[in-house]
């Protein structure tokens, strides 16, 4: 299982922009992350979870698309945008440290980054931020790992959130980061 966590400052979304197809850049990026992470493989990837989070590390609103449990979610941007709209409206009303699962398998939760990491309990944590070293993707083991992409500096060790983290090459576009990791894992499985 690979779990991607993509951190956004905000994901501005409303019904009018989703209906008209004039989504914000953040919504487009979020939809592409779900599409690339779960659907670009010929079938739905059951071994991948895509989590999209908005807010600050001490108070995140997280929408997770677990491939193993998703139902009625299609790969097109408009469909994913409607699900994001509904999920964000639910997560906005959640109290801290709560979790709700939508009828299609999408999970929405509100928690700190530390509590989220404790709940998913990854074997390894990989971090891709603008300050990350330019480490290659191909020599890492991503099974049972959490791969975090953030456009801002994030030091989980210094904040006592994890004991170890490994830095990966930074990609300005998180959907490309997800795609490259999935391709690398597919190539390892094939060999």
């Amino acid at each position: 299982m690979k779990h991607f966590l993509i951190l956004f400052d905000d994901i501005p979304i409303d019904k009018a922009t989703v209906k008209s197809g004039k989504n914000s850049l953040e919504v487009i990026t979020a939809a592409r992350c779900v599409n690339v992470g779960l659907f670009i493989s010929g079938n739905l990837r059951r071994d991948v979870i895509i989590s999209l989070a908005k807010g600050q590390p001490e108070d995140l609103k997280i929408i997770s698309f677990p491939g193993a449990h998703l139902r009625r979610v299609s790969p097109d941007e408009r469909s994913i945008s409607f699900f994001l709209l509904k999920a964000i409206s639910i997560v906005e009303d959640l109290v801290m440290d709560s979790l709700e699962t939508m009828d299609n398998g999408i999970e929405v939760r509100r928690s700190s980054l530390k509590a989220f990491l404790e709940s998913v309990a990854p074997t390894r944590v990989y971090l891709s931020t603008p300050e990350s070293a330019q480490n290659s993707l191909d020599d890492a083991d991503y099974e049972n790992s959490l791969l975090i992409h953030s456009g801002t500096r994030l030091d989980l060790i210094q904040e006592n959130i994890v004991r170890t983290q490994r830095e990966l090459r930074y990609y300005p576009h998180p959907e490309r980061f997800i795609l490259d990791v999935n391709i690398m894992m597919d190539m390892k499985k094939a060999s």
Side-chain angles (χ1 to χ4, degrees):
M1 181 70 65
K2 292 181 298 293
H3 192 156
F4 294 93
L5 174 63
I6 311 303
L7 298 174
F8 294 87
D9 290 331
D10 193 16
I11 304 174
I13 191 168
D14 61 63
K15 194 172 187 174
T17 57
V18 171
K19 282 181 90 171
S20 68
K22 297 179 180 177
N23 291 318
S24 68
L25 180 58
E26 294 87 353
V27 171
I28 293 168
T29 299
R32 287 179 180 169
C33 286
V34 172
N35 180 307
V36 166
L38 295 175
F39 295 104
I40 304 237
S41 68
N43 201 349
L44 177 64
R45 286 184 185 267
R46 300 284 179 189
D47 64 340
V48 173
I49 300 171
I50 303 296
S51 291
L52 310 167
K54 68 177 202 156
Q56 299 304 311
E58 57 279 351
D59 184 5
L60 289 174
K61 293 170 180 159
I62 305 165
I63 298 111
S64 296
F65 292 76
H69 304 293
L70 280 184
R71 295 177 303 283
R72 300 182 316 276
V73 177
S74 64
D76 64 284
E77 180 185 319
R78 188 172 185 155
S79 173
I80 294 169
S81 298
F82 274 108
F83 285 119
L84 272 175
L85 177 66
K86 183 171 182 169
I88 287 175
S89 71
I90 293 169
V91 79
E92 292 292 345
D93 293 332
L94 291 180
V95 297
M96 193 64 159
D97 298 320
S98 58
L99 168 70
E100 188 173 318
T101 303
M102 296 169 55
D103 64 356
N104 59 2
I106 296 172
E107 297 174 353
V108 292
R109 77 175 70 203
R110 184 173 174 191
S111 79
S112 68
L113 181 56
K114 185 174 185 173
F116 177 75
L117 284 168
E118 289 169 358
S119 71
V120 299
T123 305
R124 288 165 293 284
V125 175
Y126 294 97
L127 190 58
S128 177
T129 68
E131 290 79 24
S132 293
Q134 293 297 311
N135 293 331
S136 171
L137 294 175
D138 39 344
D139 60 346
D141 181 6
Y142 301 116
E143 287 302 319
N144 302 312
S145 296
L146 179 67
L147 297 102
I148 302 173
H149 182 281
S150 175
T152 59
R153 181 168 163 60
L154 194 62
D155 191 341
L156 305 178
I157 295 173
Q158 185 175 355
E159 297 170 25
N160 293 319
I161 294 177
V162 295
R163 288 191 310 271
T164 60
Q165 74 184 26
R166 174 145 186 244
E167 292 183 350
L168 293 175
R169 179 177 154 214
Y170 178 67
Y171 289 81
H173 303 286
E175 62 272 30
R176 182 58 194 250
F177 172 65
I178 293 168
L179 179 65
D180 282 0
V181 169
N182 278 344
I183 288 172
M184 188 62 55
M185 287 302 295
D186 291 348
M187 289 177 10
K188 283 185 178 184
K189 285 180 186 176
S191 60

